[in-house]
Amino acid sequence: MADTDHCCSTQLIDGDGEFNVVGLDNFMRTTKFSNCGLSYAVVAIMGPQSSGKSTLLNHLFQTNFREMDAYRGRSQTTKGIWIAHCVGIEPFTIAMDLEGTDGRERGEDDTTFEKQSALFALAIADIVLINMWCHDIGREQAANKPLLKTVFQVMMRLFSPRKTTLLFVIRDKTKTPLEYLEPILREDIQKIWNVVSKPAAHKDTPLSEFFNVEVTALSSYEEKEELFKEQVAQLRQRFFNSISPGGLAGDRRGVVPASGFSFSAQQIWRVIKENKDLDLPAHKVMVATVRCEEIANEKFCRLSSDEDWLALEEAVQSGSVSGFGRRLSSILETYFSEYDSEATYFDEDVRNAKRKHLESKALDLVLPAYLNQLGHLRFKVLENFKSRLEQMLKEGEGFAASAHACTESCMHEFDLGCADAAIKQANWDASKVREKLRRDIDAHLLSVRDAKLSELVARYEEKLRQLLCEPVESLFDAAGRDTWASIRKLLRRETETAALEFSTAISSFELDQPTIESMLQGLRDYARNLVVKKAREEAGKVLILMKDRFSTVFSHDNELMPRVWTGKEDIKTITKDARTASLRLLAVMAAIRLDEKPDKIENILLSSLMEGTVTSPDPLASSTWEEVPPENTLITPVQCKSLWRQFKSETEYTVTQAISAQEAYKRSNNWLPPPWAIVAMVVLGFNEFMLLLRNPLYLMFLFVAFLLSKAMWVQMDVPGQFQHGTLAGLISISSRFLPTVMNLLKRLAEEAQGHRTPESPRQQESSVAFQSFRNQSQLNPTSSIAQSSVSSNVSVSDSSVEYSSPNLMQRRSTKVQEAELSQ
Ligand SMILES: Nc1nc2c(ncn2[C@@H]2O[C@H](COP(=O)(O)OP(=O)(O)OP(=O)(O)O)[C@@H](O)[C@H]2O)c(=O)[nH]1
């Protein structure tokens, strides 16, 4: 198959009916036919073989269709269908040269290709030139009759008429004027039209409905070439602006856009070859569908690999891109407008449907990037919100006011960001992302608010703890009749003060009333629980408190001075008072009385445990107090009973000690002999007494002895030493006395034996150390027993003890002087 036999003409369909796709595409590319849209015309020529068709086209359109060499005889030169660009004619015009009809080469009966090519020309061309010999007009056996029959018959196979212009070109015009020839020709045409069998739908359809019939005549090319050329030149003028209204093809219908010409021609030829009827409207839609889809796909492919788009997509992966919407809109707009311009001449419905499809695919492609952009925006705005809120709170702004201001500004920031990210081509809904941001902001606000409130609550709880714990503990330590009243008062006062301050502090949070009430109640409950907890703690050590209370009352007089057991005290009454005080303390600690409800716990305890009143049943043989709910019970009646037993046994010793101390005191103060002994002494010692009185020396001796005794009595604090018992007094006194006496005795013995040895330096050191120890021991009388044993040991073995007596020291120095003199 020859693609191009000569310059500018292309074989579209070869003699065997093969469509030259490559050749047509090449023709379209080289002539830039695709860009013509609907602004083009196709002119085909039909006629008997060797009737000068190619010659006419070549002269008319300056084409180069192959012509027969006149000197070699008439034979078929054009095989199949050829096309060529009619240079110089506007709009873009394609000349189509068809294989001649009634050709001897195919035989008389082989009209298949003739019919197929005729139908093809009628489906494609806007103007069909019917080439005919002048002498055939009005002839019964004219060569053009079968041709016209064919044209009319195949035309019926088109579903809708295209208003093709049939231009009859009468060749080798005679002298007969055209005015005479044309009516005869039209009559011939009409006759043929009338006899052609038509489908029922077109039975009465006039010829003019299907065709515009035009007639022209040309002189013989061979005989009157110049005239021929002149007439052809005039005819050429009719092809300028042929598609404009009033032009040769001004009424044409169903034009396929130039960019779909190749596909359309192929499809039409395929349908014709399959011997099917041609539904041109459906064909037009089909061509539009295929072509628009091709255009849309091509645009989408180019968009997918567009450098600007890829750069934008990559940039948005890692962060928010400024001017995202503007950039993306511009990229999309490029491809959508290209589609529009290329698909503009195709069927509108198809074109719009395919555009929507292209938009949808393109938007699907770019949507993730948009969502990424929104995601970055949402994250950025949320972070800004957090830092702004923190800053405002740091600056001391109220929580609700800060939250409101930050939320407003951040949502506005998000809206601006959304507007920046939005594209013209889609009305993407950012409301879900906005809602998510709002939810995140609300959640953050809630968590910050809860944290701040918790902090505030903790601060006030700590304050309450400081204000309540120690005072309550102190009140329990001094438990008495008014303890619970004082605790209630303290609790009420501190709680209400704290609640008032707390209310003011949380006012900036703009909480609803129930929440505020609930928080205040929480604070009150906390304070109450603090007191309850403290009460339970104190109740846990009630025995110690009772013993302290007992000891305080028992060991101190009414003026809170330590009691000295002189024998005049009524230990029984004091014990009873002390126990009663302890029992009252137990009664105070037995139950929580924060609700000001009276109870009989103290009465029950006093009557059952102190007064020993026996009632049946025993009110203390129970684990609950009457009128006191279990949750307010700190010490049950039965526990009270057991505690009382333990308390009594543990305080017994103190009482016994007091009694012993009292007896010892009595004994120590009762040093006079019995009266009968005094009388006997007076009677029997009267003479000696008088002697003493009469002798001033004796009297003076007695007086000195008295003074010495008194001095020792005071110095050694004899009554004080005996205050802790007789034994302790004796030990203490003897510890002071005994070493001196022992030393004295030893020294006397040594002197008597004359074995006195000089003092060594070591002994002198010991003497100094001992003196220091004595001084310390005098400062610390509590360790007197231990000191006494130590000092006695030292005194016995060490002669330096005697230096503690000035007399002995003096005596020693005399002795040393005597020894030195004798040496
Ligand atoms: N008598 C006469 N002969 C002509 C005219 N124009 C061309 N011819 C001659 O007719 C012969 C055939 O010319 P073509 O132009 O090849 O005819 P055709 O119809 O294209 O032939 P096919 O393509 O084979 O059907 C040539 O020898 C031409 O010189 C004309 O106007 N009158």
Side-chain angles (χ1 to χ4, degrees), residues 45 47-59 65-79 97-101 105 131 133 171-173 218-224 228:
I45 190 161
Q49 190 186 316
S50 304
S51 57
K53 299 188 294 295
S54 304
T55 308
L56 175 61
L57 288 181
N58 288 343
H59 282 87
F65 292 114
R66 180 187 282 183
E67 296 172 22
M68 197 189 89
D69 185 353
Y71 300 103
R72 290 169 63 186
R74 294 189 181 273
S75 62
Q76 194 179 34
T77 49
T78 305
K79 291 265 187 186
D97 191 10
L98 268 65
E99 184 178 312
T101 54
E105 279 77 358
N131 206 29
W133 296 118
R171 308 291 294 269
D172 286 0
K173 183 173 84 128
L218 297 173
S219 298
S220 170
Y221 168 66
E222 288 197 329
E223 290 168 14
K224 299 173 184 171
F228 173 83

XYZ file of all heavy atoms in Angstrom, residues 45 47-59 65-79 97-101 105 131 133 171-173 218-224 228, ligand 1:
425
model
N -15.070 13.719 -4.830
C -15.521 13.687 -6.234
C -15.831 12.254 -6.649
O -15.090 11.329 -6.327
C -14.503 14.362 -7.177
C -15.103 14.541 -8.559
C -13.175 13.629 -7.228
C -14.392 15.573 -9.414
N -17.569 9.810 -9.933
C -17.903 9.847 -11.352
C -17.329 8.647 -12.078
O -16.561 7.874 -11.488
N -17.705 8.517 -13.321
C -17.200 7.364 -14.063
C -15.686 7.391 -14.173
O -15.077 8.444 -13.996
C -17.844 7.545 -15.447
C -18.955 8.531 -15.267
C -18.578 9.390 -14.118
N -15.184 6.241 -14.421
C -13.729 6.106 -14.535
C -13.212 6.932 -15.718
O -13.873 7.056 -16.733
C -13.402 4.628 -14.731
C -11.925 4.315 -14.633
C -11.672 2.863 -14.994
O -12.404 1.985 -14.560
N -10.659 2.641 -15.792
N -12.098 7.529 -15.506
C -11.404 8.311 -16.529
C -12.259 9.445 -17.085
O -12.211 9.757 -18.273
C -10.937 7.411 -17.709
O -10.132 6.386 -17.212
N -13.030 10.007 -16.173
C -13.889 11.120 -16.594
C -13.234 12.455 -16.284
O -13.890 13.485 -16.242
C -15.266 11.020 -15.962
O -15.135 10.983 -14.555
N -11.971 12.409 -15.957
C -11.208 13.634 -15.678
C -11.400 14.162 -14.267
O -11.235 15.356 -14.002
N -11.706 13.276 -13.339
C -11.926 13.688 -11.929
C -10.637 14.260 -11.342
O -10.639 15.340 -10.739
C -12.422 12.493 -11.094
C -13.730 11.907 -11.551
C -14.271 10.873 -10.580
C -13.390 9.625 -10.500
N -13.327 8.828 -11.757
N -9.581 13.477 -11.465
C -8.304 13.915 -10.880
C -7.832 15.197 -11.526
O -7.312 16.112 -10.834
C -7.238 12.827 -11.080
O -7.691 11.618 -10.525
N -8.048 15.280 -12.867
C -7.639 16.489 -13.571
C -8.368 17.697 -13.006
O -7.756 18.747 -12.737
C -7.967 16.331 -15.078
O -7.405 15.114 -15.551
C -7.427 17.507 -15.878
N -9.672 17.516 -12.784
C -10.472 18.624 -12.260
C -9.994 19.033 -10.866
O -9.776 20.232 -10.588
C -11.952 18.219 -12.236
C -12.898 19.227 -11.606
C -12.870 20.562 -12.351
C -14.328 18.691 -11.561
N -9.808 18.035 -9.991
C -9.382 18.345 -8.616
C -8.039 19.065 -8.628
O -7.835 20.045 -7.891
C -9.295 17.072 -7.774
C -10.623 16.403 -7.378
C -10.362 15.172 -6.526
C -11.511 17.380 -6.572
N -7.126 18.562 -9.453
C -5.790 19.161 -9.483
C -5.825 20.616 -9.938
O -5.090 21.456 -9.390
C -4.866 18.354 -10.397
C -4.503 17.011 -9.759
O -4.687 16.836 -8.542
N -4.013 16.083 -10.557
N -6.703 20.875 -10.912
C -6.819 22.248 -11.367
C -7.588 23.116 -10.382
O -7.261 24.287 -10.193
C -7.482 22.294 -12.769
C -6.513 21.939 -13.838
N -6.255 20.634 -14.250
C -5.683 22.719 -14.597
C -5.345 20.617 -15.195
N -4.957 21.895 -15.433
N -3.235 14.832 -7.525
C -3.763 13.465 -7.701
C -3.285 12.921 -9.033
O -3.082 13.676 -9.990
C -5.305 13.497 -7.669
C -5.861 13.859 -6.312
C -6.559 15.059 -6.140
C -5.700 12.998 -5.243
C -7.071 15.385 -4.905
C -6.217 13.345 -3.997
C -6.898 14.537 -3.817
N -3.083 11.669 -9.004
C -2.537 11.067 -10.236
C -3.587 11.137 -11.374
O -4.737 10.755 -11.159
C -2.145 9.613 -9.973
C -1.577 8.935 -11.182
C -1.362 7.484 -10.930
N -0.158 7.245 -10.150
C 0.261 6.015 -9.866
N -0.441 4.967 -10.236
N 1.364 5.842 -9.185
N -3.120 11.573 -12.494
C -4.006 11.666 -13.659
C -3.568 10.636 -14.695
O -2.406 10.243 -14.752
C -3.921 13.069 -14.284
C -4.406 14.165 -13.379
C -4.115 15.547 -13.957
O -3.926 15.665 -15.175
O -4.068 16.508 -13.152
N -4.528 10.301 -15.530
C -4.191 9.346 -16.596
C -3.466 10.073 -17.736
O -3.755 11.224 -18.010
C -5.482 8.710 -17.130
C -5.287 7.449 -17.924
S -6.826 6.941 -18.694
C -6.718 7.827 -20.228
N -2.535 9.312 -18.243
C -1.840 9.893 -19.390
C -2.722 9.710 -20.627
O -3.013 8.587 -21.028
C -0.490 9.165 -19.583
C 0.338 9.802 -20.675
O -0.199 10.702 -21.353
O 1.506 9.408 -20.831
N -3.171 10.797 -21.192
C -4.141 10.764 -22.271
C -3.648 9.973 -23.479
O -4.416 9.348 -24.193
C -4.477 12.201 -22.687
N -2.329 9.931 -23.640
C -1.778 9.265 -24.819
C -1.705 7.750 -24.641
O -1.446 7.022 -25.558
C -0.399 9.845 -25.141
C -0.487 11.342 -25.432
C -0.101 12.277 -24.484
C -0.995 11.790 -26.679
C -0.205 13.632 -24.744
C -1.105 13.151 -26.935
C -0.702 14.067 -25.994
O -0.820 15.389 -26.243
N -1.913 7.299 -23.409
C -1.794 5.842 -23.175
C -3.164 5.185 -23.070
O -3.298 4.030 -22.669
C -0.990 5.580 -21.890
C 0.476 5.944 -22.096
C 1.222 5.950 -20.811
N 1.233 4.643 -20.208
C 1.724 4.384 -19.013
N 2.232 5.391 -18.301
N 1.705 3.175 -18.541
N -4.223 5.914 -23.306
C -5.560 5.323 -23.305
C -6.249 5.421 -21.967
O -5.617 5.693 -20.937
N -7.552 5.227 -21.996
C -8.352 5.377 -20.768
C -8.339 4.082 -19.961
O -8.819 3.063 -20.393
C -9.796 5.751 -21.107
C -9.901 7.133 -21.734
C -11.327 7.621 -21.870
N -11.337 8.941 -22.501
C -11.213 10.060 -21.827
N -11.105 10.044 -20.509
N -11.206 11.217 -22.452
N -7.749 4.185 -18.874
C -7.770 3.036 -17.933
C -7.765 3.609 -16.505
O -7.453 4.787 -16.315
C -6.527 2.152 -18.144
O -5.374 2.896 -17.863
N -8.063 2.734 -15.568
C -8.196 3.198 -14.165
C -6.845 3.640 -13.604
O -5.882 2.897 -13.642
C -8.764 2.088 -13.310
C -9.242 2.570 -11.982
C -9.824 1.402 -11.208
O -9.359 0.275 -11.310
N -10.851 1.692 -10.443
N -6.774 4.878 -13.136
C -5.544 5.345 -12.500
C -5.703 5.491 -11.001
O -4.758 5.286 -10.242
C -5.119 6.715 -13.066
O -6.235 7.579 -13.054
C -4.562 6.587 -14.458
N -6.914 5.866 -10.586
C -7.139 6.046 -9.146
C -7.701 4.776 -8.547
O -8.750 4.302 -8.968
C -8.111 7.221 -8.913
O -7.593 8.368 -9.569
C -8.277 7.497 -7.433
N -6.944 4.242 -7.603
C -7.396 3.029 -6.885
C -7.752 3.441 -5.460
O -6.973 4.149 -4.812
C -6.268 1.993 -6.837
C -5.939 1.386 -8.165
C -6.692 0.085 -8.354
C -6.206 -0.607 -9.633
N -7.026 -1.792 -9.902
N -10.388 12.130 -3.620
C -10.546 11.570 -4.966
C -10.930 10.109 -4.845
O -10.196 9.323 -4.260
C -9.220 11.735 -5.732
C -9.358 11.424 -7.213
O -10.513 11.269 -7.670
O -8.319 11.356 -7.892
N -12.116 9.773 -5.380
C -12.597 8.389 -5.255
C -12.309 7.601 -6.532
O -12.206 8.183 -7.617
C -14.105 8.397 -4.998
C -14.570 8.388 -3.537
C -14.160 9.678 -2.832
C -16.079 8.216 -3.447
N -12.184 6.325 -6.342
C -11.991 5.422 -7.505
C -13.214 5.558 -8.417
O -14.340 5.652 -7.919
C -11.846 3.987 -6.974
C -11.559 2.976 -8.038
C -11.375 1.573 -7.425
O -10.626 1.436 -6.440
O -12.008 0.636 -7.925
N -12.962 5.572 -9.693
C -14.054 5.758 -10.651
C -15.077 4.628 -10.638
O -14.769 3.491 -10.294
N -16.310 4.990 -10.917
C -17.370 3.966 -10.948
C -17.362 3.303 -12.314
O -16.645 3.742 -13.204
C -18.737 4.618 -10.690
O -18.908 5.680 -11.620
C -18.829 5.157 -9.266
N -11.945 -2.588 -14.573
C -11.030 -3.407 -13.785
C -11.753 -4.262 -12.754
O -11.360 -5.385 -12.479
C -9.998 -2.515 -13.064
C -8.837 -2.069 -13.929
C -9.225 -0.933 -14.880
O -10.417 -0.526 -14.878
O -8.354 -0.507 -15.649
N -19.166 14.013 -11.186
C -18.570 14.290 -12.502
C -19.365 13.547 -13.586
O -19.561 12.332 -13.494
C -17.114 13.810 -12.473
C -16.246 14.556 -13.437
O -16.515 15.722 -13.739
N -15.200 13.908 -13.938
N -20.525 13.421 -18.039
C -20.351 13.925 -19.421
C -21.607 14.658 -19.816
O -22.714 14.274 -19.492
C -20.078 12.792 -20.392
C -18.759 12.073 -20.114
C -18.613 10.782 -19.790
C -17.473 12.624 -20.190
N -17.301 10.444 -19.626
C -16.540 11.599 -19.881
C -16.920 13.893 -20.485
C -15.179 11.790 -19.865
C -15.561 14.049 -20.477
C -14.694 13.016 -20.152
N -19.140 17.903 -17.717
C -17.875 18.024 -18.442
C -18.133 18.049 -19.960
O -19.126 17.537 -20.453
C -16.951 16.853 -18.083
C -16.736 16.638 -16.609
C -15.917 17.770 -16.027
N -14.563 17.807 -16.526
C -13.528 17.178 -15.945
N -13.732 16.475 -14.838
N -12.312 17.279 -16.445
N -17.177 18.653 -20.622
C -17.242 18.790 -22.090
C -18.547 19.423 -22.534
O -19.325 18.874 -23.330
C -17.075 17.409 -22.790
C -15.626 16.933 -22.719
O -14.790 17.677 -22.132
O -15.336 15.853 -23.180
N -18.767 20.549 -21.890
C -19.975 21.315 -22.160
C -20.054 21.626 -23.666
O -19.075 22.030 -24.282
C -19.927 22.596 -21.325
C -21.094 23.474 -21.424
C -20.992 24.611 -20.409
C -20.145 25.723 -21.001
N -20.755 27.025 -20.951
N -18.397 22.623 -17.354
C -17.023 23.019 -17.723
C -16.772 22.607 -19.181
O -17.227 21.549 -19.612
C -16.012 22.323 -16.816
C -16.051 22.642 -15.338
C -15.089 21.737 -14.607
C -15.684 24.104 -15.102
N -16.007 23.441 -19.814
C -15.642 23.084 -21.184
C -14.622 21.959 -21.161
O -14.040 21.668 -20.108
C -15.033 24.323 -21.874
O -15.991 25.355 -21.941
N -14.382 21.383 -22.299
C -13.462 20.242 -22.345
C -12.038 20.699 -22.067
O -11.558 21.692 -22.629
C -13.518 19.580 -23.727
O -12.497 18.638 -23.855
N -11.450 19.938 -21.224
C -10.057 20.239 -20.853
C -9.136 19.969 -22.024
O -8.172 20.698 -22.275
C -9.659 19.423 -19.618
C -8.181 19.408 -19.300
C -7.532 20.588 -18.901
C -7.423 18.241 -19.467
C -6.179 20.578 -18.643
C -6.067 18.237 -19.198
C -5.441 19.414 -18.782
O -4.094 19.414 -18.537
N -9.493 18.945 -22.728
C -8.614 18.538 -23.813
C -8.736 19.463 -25.018
O -7.747 19.767 -25.665
C -8.918 17.094 -24.213
C -8.429 16.130 -23.142
C -8.326 14.699 -23.633
O -9.123 14.319 -24.521
O -7.452 13.978 -23.114
N -9.942 19.927 -25.247
C -10.150 20.721 -26.448
C -10.082 22.229 -26.182
O -9.598 23.007 -26.999
C -11.506 20.368 -27.087
C -11.473 18.964 -27.682
C -12.860 18.449 -28.054
O -13.812 19.271 -28.094
O -12.986 17.232 -28.271
N -10.593 22.648 -25.050
C -10.576 24.081 -24.739
C -9.935 24.298 -23.382
O -10.592 24.682 -22.401
C -12.017 24.636 -24.729
C -12.727 24.499 -26.055
C -14.191 24.916 -25.936
C -14.897 24.675 -27.262
N -16.347 24.867 -27.139
N -11.337 25.944 -20.115
C -11.513 25.013 -18.977
C -10.888 25.605 -17.696
O -11.522 25.669 -16.641
C -10.876 23.667 -19.322
C -10.849 22.686 -18.185
C -11.972 21.891 -17.903
C -9.712 22.556 -17.391
C -11.924 20.991 -16.850
C -9.670 21.655 -16.335
C -10.787 20.864 -16.059
N -12.564 14.880 -23.202
C -12.028 15.277 -22.089
N -11.002 14.611 -21.581
C -10.494 15.022 -20.448
C -10.943 16.086 -19.724
N -10.221 16.241 -18.587
C -9.330 15.298 -18.630
N -9.484 14.521 -19.704
C -8.698 13.403 -20.005
O -9.247 12.219 -19.490
C -8.276 11.325 -19.144
C -8.471 10.808 -17.767
O -8.240 11.803 -16.889
P -8.193 11.568 -15.363
O -8.202 12.907 -14.765
O -7.158 10.699 -15.013
O -9.563 10.852 -15.189
P -10.094 10.209 -13.927
O -11.510 10.289 -13.881
O -9.408 10.735 -12.746
O -9.640 8.665 -14.120
P -9.732 7.565 -13.023
O -9.116 8.094 -11.835
O -8.990 6.418 -13.600
O -11.135 7.259 -12.824
C -6.985 12.012 -19.307
O -6.341 11.623 -20.491
C -7.346 13.441 -19.423
O -6.495 14.188 -20.288
C -12.020 16.792 -20.249
O -12.476 17.777 -19.703
N -12.518 16.349 -21.481
